[in-house]
Amino acid sequence: MIFDTHAHYDDEAFDEDRYAMLDSMQENRIGHIVDVCASVEHFDRVYDLVEKYPFIYGAVGVHPDDADKVDAAVLDEIRRYCDKEKTVAVGEIGLDYYWHKEKEAHLLQQKVFRQQMDIAREKKLPFMIHSRDAAEDTLNIVREYMKNGMYGGVIHCFSYSKEIAREYLNMGLYLGIGGVVTFKNSRKLKEVVEYAPLNQILLETDCPYMAPVPNRGKRNSSLYLPEVVKTVAEIKGVSCEEVVAVTESNAVKVLNLI
């Protein structure tokens, strides 16, 4: 069964048909889904789904775009959600310099990133990292934390070079691969997938965003993951069944679901 390790079914894009879609997952060979918090306002929305569906797990954290909303009370709320039985990671957390060019914003994001990495260590949970236009700073912070002991992690929606991938893979971390790998112009990501061991790759959607070809531009969902499986299988020279089995096993391992 396919394991979608990063989705946002709490997003407003699913308001019209959220439950009908989720009810169809199991019959379409989607075995498990991690619904990942991004904003403070959606903690409850995520965990409503976690409680309703046995096959949905939760990750709790605040996206770097919302770094200015994080205070001591929010950090305590993250800790509280970490204690829930079906919380499997702290995320998505990290750095995003695409929209935020100012040095002051970068320093705030780095502070909040570190605060949430501290919680991941405290709660003995893996982390799920968002990084956009912030390759060096993200790598430096992750390297700093991994030196002092962490409980695993995922570089979600990996978008950097093979050389940066090597750094994360050498730390024993996992790369989240989604619909972008199916795009014609994704040569760099295809090189990363070719290079990375299959046992350090995870499947993800980041839905409702980044639907794979031939549905590019549409609302994404876990139901489109077979297209990602097919592309990864072609790149690695293995069967689709092997990609599904190994990535599912990887997810179970990194999320401590064994």
Side-chain angles (χ1 to χ4, degrees):
M1 299 279 271
I2 293 173
F3 200 131
D4 184 352
T5 59
H6 197 113
H8 300 286
Y9 285 104
D10 52 295
D11 193 276
E12 288 83 356
F14 294 104
D15 282 355
E16 289 188 9
D17 60 350
R18 177 179 292 110
Y19 300 114
M21 174 164 285
L22 290 173
D23 288 342
S24 74
M25 290 296 169
Q26 303 274 278
E27 66 194 58
N28 285 288
R29 298 192 64 238
I30 306 300
H32 295 91
I33 295 167
V34 181
D35 205 74
V36 181
C37 293
S39 67
V40 178
E41 294 84 0
H42 276 222
F43 287 1
D44 285 343
R45 289 175 66 113
V46 168
Y47 279 85
D48 284 346
L49 297 177
V50 170
E51 290 171 12
K52 181 176 176 63
Y53 290 95
F55 61 90
I56 296 182
Y57 296 93
V60 61
V62 178
H63 189 287
D65 283 348
D66 274 4
D68 59 343
K69 298 179 181 178
V70 176
D71 56 17
V74 170
L75 294 172
D76 283 343
E77 189 79 342
I78 292 171
R79 289 187 180 91
R80 184 174 72 82
Y81 277 101
C82 282
D83 291 334
K84 289 183 175 287
E85 183 181 357
K86 290 177 70 184
T87 298
V88 294
V90 174
E92 65 186 277
I93 64 176
L95 304 175
D96 192 319
Y97 296 168
Y98 182 80
W99 298 111
H100 310 275
K101 308 297 185 187
E102 312 81 13
K103 183 66 175 177
E104 184 178 327
H106 294 181
L107 292 174
L108 176 60
Q109 286 189 14
Q110 290 168 28
K111 175 187 173 183
V112 172
F113 184 15
R114 284 191 166 91
Q115 287 173 327
Q116 294 182 95
M117 289 288 272
D118 287 338
I119 293 174
R121 177 181 286 152
E122 172 192 335
K123 297 297 184 179
K124 300 183 178 180
L125 288 170
F127 49 81
M128 289 186 170
I129 287 177
H130 169 105
S131 181
R132 189 178 188 191
D133 286 4
E136 184 177 357
D137 286 349
T138 307
L139 180 58
N140 287 339
I141 291 173
V142 173
R143 191 186 284 127
E144 167 195 331
Y145 273 84
M146 292 300 289
K147 282 180 180 176
N148 296 309
M150 294 293 283
Y151 295 86
V154 184
I155 313 303
H156 147 67
C157 194
F158 189 83
S159 61
Y160 297 129
S161 68
K162 184 171 72 173
E163 290 70 30
I164 293 175
R166 182 184 295 119
E167 296 282 339
Y168 288 120
L169 294 167
N170 287 344
M171 286 187 267
L173 301 176
Y174 293 76
L175 307 182
I177 304 298
V180 174
V181 77
T182 68
F183 297 175
K184 287 184 179 178
N185 62 350
S186 65
R187 180 184 56 82
K188 184 169 68 172
L189 183 56
K190 287 181 170 70
E191 288 177 356
V192 167
V193 171
E194 183 179 24
Y195 170 76
L198 187 56
N199 64 7
Q200 284 181 272
I201 289 175
L202 299 173
L203 300 178
E204 60 172 48
T205 54
D206 201 25
C207 64
Y209 312 106
M210 294 188 295
V213 174
N215 297 293
R216 186 175 182 179
K218 297 180 182 178
R219 182 187 69 174
N220 198 8
S221 84
S222 308
L223 301 177
Y224 294 156
L225 272 173
E227 298 297 336
V228 177
V229 170
K230 180 181 174 184
T231 300
V232 171
E234 289 171 354
I235 293 169
K236 303 297 282 181
V238 299
S239 68
C240 290
E241 290 76 15
E242 183 174 351
V243 171
V244 171
V246 174
T247 55
E248 181 183 37
S249 176
N250 296 343
V252 168
K253 181 179 179 183
V254 70
L255 300 175
N256 299 307
L257 296 172
I258 297 171

